[in-house]
Structure formats: structure tokens, C-alpha cells
């Protein structure tokens, strides 16, 4: 018991250091947990956007694989077709941000909409991954003079 009395100040200081370390570790743990929750939410959102686009593609096969994209862009369904292509781009943007290896999938998905992609030019709100994908797509597939 006398040992505790003699070393009480040191024991209290050690306990304070341990408490501070535990608090810092807890804060780091909370940060890691919040970051992981954000990552999971973004991945879930991206998968849902892609799943939604696949549903749209099944519901509107004339938009998914257009015979004449230029005619769709000028006809009475022009707004719906543009929204379809924008949704595809949104799905691609979301998925490319959270998961690697989707570039080829979305390049293939953009091919039927080549005329629309080439005619519209630059899209706003692109992430770096999406800007790179569209730049590569346009460089490889867009003629100097758009067909529409």
C-alpha cells in the first residue's frame, strides 16, 4: 500500500496518458468506420444506378441499341433518348469512381450511342475517370465532323 502512495502521481500521469491514447485510437477508429461506410454507400449507389440503367435498357430496347441515333436525337423521343444516354453516362461515372475494371464495359455500352456522344461534345460534371473514358472514346470513335 505504501508503494501506491509513493507513486500515486506517476500512476495518475500514466493513467492520463493511457486514457488519451485510447481516445485517439477511438477517434481514428471512428474515422476509418465512417470512411468505410461512405465507400460502401457509394458502391451501393453505383451498383443501383447501373442496375437501373439495365432496367431502362430492357424497357427501351430501341434506345439501348438504336438503329439510327441521329433520328432519335431529332424525333419526338429526343428528350427521352438524351435522358437515356445521360443516365448511361451517370451510371458509368458512378461505377468508375468506386470500382476498377469497368472501362471496357462502358466503352462497349457507349458504342451504340456513338453518334449522340460525338454530337453532344463535352459533358459537365465528369469525374477524372469519366473524363478519361470519354476522351479515349471520342478519340477512337468520333469523326472530325459529327454525323448528326
Amino acid at each position: 500500500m505504501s508503494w501506491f502512495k509513493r507513486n500515486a502521481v506517476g500512476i495518475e500521469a500514466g493513467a492520463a496518458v493511457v486514457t488519451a491514447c485510447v481516445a485517439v485510437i477511438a477517434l481514428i477508429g471512428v474515422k476509418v468506420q465512417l470512411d468505410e461506410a461512405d465507400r460502401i454507400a457509394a458502391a451501393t449507389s453505383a451498383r443501383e444506378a447501373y442496375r437501373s440503367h439495365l432496367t431502362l435498357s430492357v424497357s427501351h430496347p430501341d434506345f439501348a441499341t438504336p438503329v439510327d441515333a441521329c433520328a432519335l436525337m431529332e424525333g419526338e423521343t429526343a428528350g427521352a433518348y438524351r435522358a437515356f444516354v445521360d443516365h448511361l453516362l451517370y451510371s458509368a461515372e458512378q461505377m468508375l469512381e468506386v470500382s476498377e475494371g469497368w472501362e471496357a464495359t462502358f466503352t462497349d455500352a457507349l458504342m451504340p450511342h456513338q453518334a449522340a456522344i460525338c454530337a453532344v461534345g463535352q459533358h459537365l460534371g465528369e469525374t477524372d475517370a469519366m473524363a478519361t473514358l470519354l476522351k479515349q472514346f471520342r478519340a477512337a470513335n468520333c469523326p472530325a465532323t459529327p454525323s448528326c
Side-chain angles (χ1 to χ4, degrees):
M1 186 76 157
S2 63
W3 181 86
F4 285 113
K5 286 182 183 179
R6 285 191 314 254
N7 296 306
V9 173
I11 293 171
E12 288 175 5
V17 168
V18 169
T19 301
C21 289
V22 168
V24 168
I25 290 169
L27 285 174
I28 292 170
V30 167
K31 169 76 169 116
V32 168
Q33 198 171 25
L34 289 173
D35 288 348
E36 183 64 12
D38 285 345
R39 188 194 65 75
I40 289 170
T44 300
S45 176
R47 282 192 294 276
E48 185 57 36
Y50 185 62
R51 192 175 304 118
S52 176
H53 184 74
L54 293 176
T55 301
L56 280 174
S57 296
V58 170
S59 300
H60 300 285
D62 52 326
F63 289 169
T65 53
V67 175
D68 185 358
C70 293
L72 282 175
M73 289 173 33
E74 297 169 2
E76 61 185 50
T77 60
Y81 178 65
R82 284 191 183 106
F84 180 88
V85 173
D86 283 344
H87 193 273
L88 171 59
L89 294 172
Y90 172 76
S91 300
E93 185 173 35
Q94 294 293 305
M95 192 58 81
L96 292 173
E97 279 302 300
V98 298
S99 185
E100 294 181 16
W102 283 87
E103 292 81 2
T105 299
F106 285 109
T107 298
D108 290 345
L110 291 173
M111 282 307 296
H113 311 289
Q114 173 185 356
I117 300 295
C118 295
V120 171
Q122 298 297 323
H123 290 271
L124 299 175
E126 298 168 357
T127 60
D128 289 340
M130 190 63 190
T132 301
L133 177 74
L134 284 175
K135 183 178 178 182
Q136 291 171 349
F137 181 86
R138 287 184 178 118
N141 300 298
C142 291
T145 305
S147 57
C148 299

